[in-house]
């Protein structure tokens, strides 16, 4: 049987891992520079923790884990006969792989509330899983890099997250990313003034797909969800909202005069836009996008989404928002939160396409001891131990060469891995070492080798 891996997953070569680690370290350094602390949560959670937090579409994408043992034994035969998968799943699966890092973080905050100092700034870099249809930039297993603050309602947190996005993407060399910004209160206000407040979730889920399925597709979906043509006509200006951020804010004020909630959203956006205008951004562009809805049930205020530079066709490479009510679903009321996520895998693809990775140097020994004489190996291994204790990366070629051909194979290994120093022979307590860059060859003690290569 030919070996394979599941669709939507990938193997990573040493070079790819090194490039990914470069992105990880850049993001991690910025997180810590902004005062965030690391945590980790399990790769799977109780199903009750995850289900119902991401909307109907999100729930369908959660990977369920079968109970251990004979999981069908206790299921009522009538349920099996009915073939009602939703009812059967609740009987045979009590756990699920995490869909994102935000809901597990909310669960963490509630469980550890007595050990946390608020406001709590945390970052988390771990894989998540979604039963999505694989395509370019969309995988079933991928990493998220999240930063969140809980315990503060200050809009300066929203301002700081815009700065954090700008900082990371500037350091990675991604010039011209667009940080799209909206507010859930504005979306609620729009739904209110068009008379579709009871259809808010359907309205926002459809609106969020504007860049994917176009105006006609959005209108068709809204109609299918029971939103009237009259209501859709009232939001027609949203489909072609243009101008500067200030122009858009002015238009929204005019559109939402009759909605107190909508006007609150406009005021919050105005604060962020004005603050960023004063502070400035290094390479990113801040853009109000009133069609940005992100169909997740838990956002209550600001909504972020980051688009790659225009020359690269790619979905969002980051996103997030404020979720005042999220910890409330786990029993901890009145704890406001706001956070963002970096899509590592998409960022990687964008950087590859733009050729932003510099030459990556893979881990390799500074000194390699060749293996031409089995009788010398104990002395070589003792020397290697000393060199490693001096924090010098050192290896012994594992297989002894018993022929000229095998010796050439070891020299080829040296060339392929671009190793700087090679030890060939042992003479009492000294070693013949060759500098592969200069060709110089010396007979040195271990301590002299340490001085030479440092």
């Amino acid at each position: 049987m030919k070996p394979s891996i599941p669709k939507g997953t990938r193997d990573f070569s040493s070079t790819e891992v090194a490039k990914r680690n470069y992105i990880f370290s850049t993001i991690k350094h910025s997180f810590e520079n902004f005062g965030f602390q690391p945590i980790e949560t399990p790769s799977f959670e109780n199903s009750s923790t995850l289900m119902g937090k991401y909307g109907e579409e999100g729930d369908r994408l959660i990977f369920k884990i079968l109970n251990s043992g004979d999981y069908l034994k206790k299921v009522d035969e009538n349920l099996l006969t009915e073939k009602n998968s939703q009812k059967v799943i609740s009987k045979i699966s009590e756990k699920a792989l995490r869909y994102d890092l935000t809901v597990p973080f909310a669960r963490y905050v509630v469980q550890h509330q007595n050990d946390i100092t608020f406001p709590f700034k945390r970052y988390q870099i771990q894989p998540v899983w979604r039963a999505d249809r694989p395509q370019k930039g969309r995988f079933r297993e991928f990493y998220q890099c999240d930063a969140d603050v809980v315990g503060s309602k200050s809009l300066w947190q929203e301002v700081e997250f815009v700065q954090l996005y700008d900082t990371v993407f500037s350091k990675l060399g991604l010039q011209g990313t667009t940080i799209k910004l909206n507010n859930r209160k504005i979306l609620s206000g729009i739904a209110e003034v068009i008379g579709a407040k009871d259809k808010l979730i359907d309205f926002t889920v459809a609106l969020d797909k504007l860049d994917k399925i176009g105006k006609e597709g959005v209108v068709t979906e809204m109609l299918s969800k029971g939103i009237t043509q009259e209501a859709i006509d009232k939001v027609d200006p949203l489909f072609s909202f243009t101008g500067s951020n200030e122009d858009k804010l002015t238009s929204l004020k005019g559109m939402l005069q009759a909605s107190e909630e909508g006007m609150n959203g406009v005021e919050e956006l105005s604060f962020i836009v004005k603050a960023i205008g004063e502070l400035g951004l290094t390479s990113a562009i801040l853009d109000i996008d009133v069609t940005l809805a992100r169909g997740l049930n838990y956002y209550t205020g600001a909504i972020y989404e980051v688009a790659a530079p225009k020359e690269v066709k790619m979905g969002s490479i980051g996103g997030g928002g404020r979720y005042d009510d999220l910890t409330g679903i786990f029993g901890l009321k009145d704890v406001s939160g706001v956070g963002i996520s970096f899509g590592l895998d998409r960022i990687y693809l964008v950087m590859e396409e733009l050729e932003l990775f510099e030459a990556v140097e893979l881990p390799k020994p500074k000194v390699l001891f060749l293996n031409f004489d089995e009788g010398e190996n104990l002395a070589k291994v003792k020397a290697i131990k000393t060199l490693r204790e001096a924090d010098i990366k050192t290896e012994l070629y594992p297989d002894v060469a018993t022929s000229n051909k095998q010796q050439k194979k070891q020299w080829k290994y040296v060339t392929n891995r671009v190793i700087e120093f090679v030890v060939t022979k042992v003479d009492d307590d000294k070693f013949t070492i060759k500098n592969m860059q200069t060709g110089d060859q010396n007979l040195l003690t271990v301590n002299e080798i340490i001085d030479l290569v440092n």
Side-chain angles (χ1 to χ4, degrees):
M1 182 178 175
K2 187 178 179 180
S4 63
I5 58 175
K7 288 182 179 179
T9 64
R10 295 149 297 159
D11 291 322
F12 298 107
S13 68
S14 299
T15 300
E16 289 168 327
V17 169
K19 289 177 179 178
R20 287 164 63 85
N21 285 342
Y22 165 68
I23 301 174
F24 281 136
S25 63
T26 301
I27 294 173
K28 179 181 176 182
H29 179 269
S30 296
F31 282 166
E32 294 183 353
N33 196 33
F34 275 65
F36 293 87
Q37 304 173 52
I39 69 162
E40 291 189 357
T41 59
S43 57
F44 56 92
E45 298 270 353
N46 291 324
S47 297
S48 57
T49 299
L50 303 179
M51 298 299 290
K53 313 303 189 299
Y54 306 101
E56 188 179 331
E57 289 193 3
D59 281 356
R60 284 200 298 267
L61 300 181
I62 293 174
F63 275 109
K64 285 79 174 177
I65 300 173
L66 290 174
N67 294 340
S68 57
D70 189 356
Y71 52 83
L72 284 178
K73 189 174 183 180
K74 296 181 180 179
V75 180
D76 188 289
E77 285 190 20
N78 292 328
L79 286 180
L80 296 176
T81 304
E82 289 173 17
K83 295 184 178 179
N84 187 321
S85 59
Q86 292 304 315
K87 290 182 179 179
V88 171
I89 283 172
S90 65
K91 304 292 184 181
I92 66 175
S93 174
E94 297 170 356
K95 295 175 286 294
L97 293 176
R98 61 171 172 244
Y99 175 92
D100 71 354
L101 300 178
T102 306
V103 170
F105 171 54
R107 189 266 310 151
Y108 176 94
V109 169
V110 175
Q111 274 195 264
H112 301 274
Q113 57 186 284
N114 295 326
D115 306 316
I116 292 172
T117 301
F118 293 98
F120 180 47
K121 300 177 74 172
R122 88 79 166 88
Y123 76 85
Q124 195 171 347
I125 301 175
Q126 288 186 281
V128 299
W129 295 265
R130 295 183 186 179
D132 215 341
R133 184 170 63 86
Q135 53 186 287
K136 183 182 179 183
R138 180 173 291 177
F139 307 100
R140 288 175 172 170
E141 178 185 62
F142 57 97
Y143 267 80
Q144 283 189 341
C145 310
D146 281 16
D148 290 78
V149 183
V150 291
S152 171
K153 294 183 178 180
S154 169
L155 288 174
W156 286 110
Q157 304 294 349
E158 275 84 340
V159 172
E160 185 170 76
F161 280 124
V162 174
Q163 291 179 299
L164 180 55
Y165 268 139
D166 180 52
T167 298
V168 170
F169 291 126
S170 297
K171 286 184 176 181
L172 292 174
L174 277 171
Q175 303 291 317
T177 56
T178 301
I179 304 169
K180 299 178 182 180
L181 183 65
N182 198 10
N183 194 296
R184 193 73 172 205
K185 294 172 185 175
I186 287 175
L187 294 167
S188 297
I190 293 169
E192 182 182 345
V193 298
I194 67 172
K197 196 169 184 179
D198 60 327
K199 300 284 186 180
L200 174 61
I201 296 300
D202 292 330
F203 171 76
T204 55
V205 167
L207 190 62
D208 195 40
K209 297 176 181 176
L210 182 64
D211 60 339
K212 300 182 185 72
I213 61 177
K215 178 182 174 180
E216 286 186 16
V218 171
V219 170
T220 300
E221 181 165 333
M222 285 184 176
L223 289 170
S224 73
K225 296 294 185 179
I227 298 171
T228 66
Q229 184 64 55
E230 182 184 1
I232 294 169
D233 290 341
K234 289 180 181 178
V235 298
D236 189 69
L238 296 181
F239 297 127
S240 56
F241 221 48
T242 56
S244 67
N245 287 333
E246 288 73 18
D247 292 338
K248 293 173 183 176
L249 288 168
T250 300
S251 297
L252 286 169
K253 285 177 184 176
M255 185 184 296
L256 296 172
Q257 285 294 330
S259 170
E260 182 181 352
E261 184 176 14
M263 290 302 292
N264 286 339
V266 174
E267 288 174 13
E268 290 181 9
L269 275 193
S270 298
F271 180 91
I272 299 166
V273 168
K274 184 178 179 181
I276 293 298
E278 293 287 336
L279 294 165
L281 296 175
T282 303
S283 67
I285 301 158
L286 182 64
D287 181 47
I288 292 176
D289 183 352
V290 291
T291 68
L292 175 61
R294 297 184 68 85
L296 302 179
N297 285 346
Y298 50 70
Y299 290 134
T300 57
I303 307 169
Y304 301 95
E305 189 165 279
V306 184
K310 290 185 173 70
E311 57 266 38
V312 181
K313 290 185 178 179
M314 181 66 67
S316 65
I317 57 174
R322 182 168 283 278
Y323 44 87
D324 285 346
D325 301 328
L326 191 60
T327 56
I329 59 179
F330 296 120
L332 184 60
K333 302 292 185 182
D334 301 320
V335 179
S336 184
V338 59
I340 60 172
S341 180
F342 291 82
L344 171 96
D345 298 276
R346 289 186 177 182
I347 292 170
Y348 180 99
L349 291 173
V350 171
M351 291 182 67
E352 279 277 71
E353 190 166 333
L354 295 176
E355 298 181 349
L356 294 177
F357 287 112
E358 296 180 5
V360 174
E361 186 170 320
L362 299 175
K364 64 181 180 181
K366 181 91 171 179
V367 183
L368 179 72
F369 283 68
L370 298 183
N371 191 347
F372 295 161
D373 183 348
E374 181 67 40
E376 296 178 347
N377 281 352
L378 182 58
K380 288 178 178 177
V381 171
K382 287 181 178 179
I384 288 169
K385 182 173 182 286
T386 303
L387 288 168
R388 286 173 176 168
E389 288 170 350
D391 203 27
I392 297 168
K393 295 175 183 176
T394 315
E395 285 182 20
L396 170 70
Y397 192 90
D399 303 310
V400 65
T402 58
S403 66
N404 187 48
K405 182 179 179 181
Q406 290 178 352
Q407 287 191 13
K408 287 181 178 178
K409 183 180 178 181
Q410 293 192 25
W411 283 112
K412 185 178 180 181
Y413 181 85
V414 171
T415 302
N416 288 346
R417 295 198 68 188
V418 198
I419 293 168
E420 193 174 348
F421 294 96
V422 174
V423 173
T424 54
K425 293 190 299 181
V426 180
D427 291 308
D428 295 327
D429 62 343
K430 292 190 174 184
F431 301 84
T432 300
I433 185 167
K434 182 177 181 179
N435 184 324
M436 298 303 294
Q437 293 178 331
T438 66
D440 293 341
Q441 192 162 289
N442 297 285
L443 188 64
L444 304 174
T445 64
V446 173
N447 289 331
E448 289 170 335
I449 289 175
I450 292 171
D451 293 336
L452 173 68
V453 303
N454 271 333

